Amino acid sequence: MSIYLGAFFALGGLVVAVGGIAAIAYGWVLPSIRAKVVRPRLYGWGVLVLAVGLFLMGAALVASTDVVESSVRTVAVGLVLVSSKVVRTSGRPAGVDQQVPDETSLGSPVGPDGPGDRQ
C-alpha cells in the first residue's frame, strides 16, 4: 500500500514541478491565482521546492528502513514549509488590490498634512 501512496506523491510532485518550470521559464501562472502573484519567477522557485518535498515524501514511503524514512520525511516536511513561505512572499501584500503606478502625477506635491508649506 505504501508504494501506491509513494507513487501518488511522486505524480503530484511531477505535476507541481511542471507548473514551477512554466512560472520560471515563461512567467506563466495558473489563471485562478494570476492576480495574486506579483513575482512569478519567485513563485516558480517556491513551487519547485514544493515539488522536491513531495518527491521526497514519496521516496520516504518507499524507503526500506525506518531511519531513512524518518530522516527523509523530516527533510521533506522542512522543504514544504520553506516552499510555503517562498510562495507567500511572491504574492501581493494583503489589502492591495492593484499595483501602484510608477509615474508621478503632475502638480504641486501634497504632504501628509495637506497642501501648503508649514512654517
Side-chain angles (χ1 to χ4, degrees), residues 3-71:
I3 196 161
Y4 297 118
L5 195 55
F8 177 73
F9 274 114
L11 182 64
L14 181 65
V15 169
V16 169
V18 168
I21 291 170
I24 291 171
Y26 303 110
W28 185 84
V29 181
L30 287 171
S32 60
I33 60 172
R34 189 172 295 152
K36 299 175 187 172
V37 175
V38 177
R39 295 175 291 270
R41 300 210 192 295
L42 181 63
Y43 171 80
W45 283 109
V47 169
L48 275 182
V49 171
L50 174 67
V52 170
L54 288 175
F55 281 126
L56 286 177
M57 282 186 189
L61 289 169
V62 181
S64 59
T65 63
D66 291 336
V67 174
V68 171
E69 178 183 358
S70 63
S71 62

Side-chain angles (χ1 to χ4, degrees), residues 44-104:
W45 283 109
V47 169
L48 275 182
V49 171
L50 174 67
V52 170
L54 288 175
F55 281 126
L56 286 177
M57 282 186 189
L61 289 169
V62 181
S64 59
T65 63
D66 291 336
V67 174
V68 171
E69 178 183 358
S70 63
S71 62
V72 170
R73 190 172 293 178
T74 302
V75 170
V77 169
L79 285 175
V80 169
L81 291 175
V82 167
S83 72
S84 68
K85 184 64 176 172
V86 171
V87 168
R88 283 191 62 127
T89 302
S90 70
R92 190 175 308 282
V96 177
D97 292 334
Q98 59 185 353
Q99 291 182 350
V100 178
D102 292 334
E103 302 174 6
T104 58

